[in-house]
């Protein structure tokens, strides 16, 4: 495929100093619960696999249940690099690697990159939909080998 530029134009667009001013103001004290979730290698069906919360994915099992409107803090920990992704909800980073969030942690996220041995705390509100969601490692090999979990919002 080739692109042919037919004319020249001046780009006078600018990135605003502040991209958003309507971010949720969830506070740790608003959370109805805190969950600890690990993302680690392990054995599943006698073979090497990748586990969320110590378990390989089972579509017949609900791993986390929460209520619509609940605010939760999740403490995530990884053994090696795992980009952890939540479906259908955004979250804010409270801490990353035991420290205050870095500039790239600002804003509403759906994925957080955890480096080997790293932990992070995130906060979210489950307010969009009732039903079943997934959360998983975004490394395709890891999710293909069981590093996913079901979350049900009731």
């Amino acid at each position: 495929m080739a692109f042919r530029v037919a004319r020249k134009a001046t780009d006078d667009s600018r990135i605003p100093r502040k991209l958003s001013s309507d971010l949720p103001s969830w506070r740790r004290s608003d959370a109805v619960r805190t969950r600890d979730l690990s993302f680690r290698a392990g054995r599943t069906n006698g073979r090497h696999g990748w586990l969320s919360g110590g378990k390989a994915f089972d579509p017949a099992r609900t791993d986390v249940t929460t209520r619509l409107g609940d605010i939760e803090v999740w403490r995530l920990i990884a053994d090696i690099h795992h980009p952890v992704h939540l479906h259908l909800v955004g979250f804010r980073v409270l801490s990353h690697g035991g420290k205050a969030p870095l500039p790239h942690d600002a804003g509403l996220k759906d994925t957080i990159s955890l480096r080997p041995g790293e932990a992070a705390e995130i906060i979210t509100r489950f307010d969009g939909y009732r039903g079943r969601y997934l959360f998983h490692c975004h490394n395709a090999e890891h999710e293909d080998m069981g590093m996913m979990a079901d979350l049900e919002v009731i």
Side-chain angles (χ1 to χ4, degrees), residues 8-52:
K8 292 185 178 187
T10 303
D11 180 1
D12 61 356
S13 63
R14 298 289 178 258
I15 298 172
R17 292 181 65 77
K18 187 171 187 177
L19 295 178
S20 179
S21 60
D22 63 346
L23 292 172
S25 59
W26 308 313
R27 296 180 316 263
R28 187 184 298 273
S29 60
D30 296 330
V32 298
R33 76 190 50 79
T34 298
R35 298 183 192 270
D36 293 316
L37 297 161
S38 62
F39 294 83
R40 302 180 186 280
R43 304 294 292 172
T44 175
N45 299 323
R47 301 155 110 170
H48 172 76
W50 297 99
L51 311 176
S52 297

Side-chain angles (χ1 to χ4, degrees), residues 17-94:
R17 292 181 65 77
K18 187 171 187 177
L19 295 178
S20 179
S21 60
D22 63 346
L23 292 172
S25 59
W26 308 313
R27 296 180 316 263
R28 187 184 298 273
S29 60
D30 296 330
V32 298
R33 76 190 50 79
T34 298
R35 298 183 192 270
D36 293 316
L37 297 161
S38 62
F39 294 83
R40 302 180 186 280
R43 304 294 292 172
T44 175
N45 299 323
R47 301 155 110 170
H48 172 76
W50 297 99
L51 311 176
S52 297
K55 299 174 185 171
F57 180 62
D58 178 350
R61 182 185 67 233
T62 298
D63 298 289
V64 173
T65 303
T66 191
R67 295 191 171 284
L68 187 68
D70 279 1
I71 295 173
E72 293 192 3
V73 171
W74 286 15
R75 290 189 294 238
L76 310 171
I77 188 163
D79 58 350
I80 64 168
H81 179 230
H82 297 295
V84 178
H85 172 65
L86 278 67
H87 283 214
L88 299 175
V89 293
F91 59 82
R92 297 194 68 182
V93 179
L94 295 174

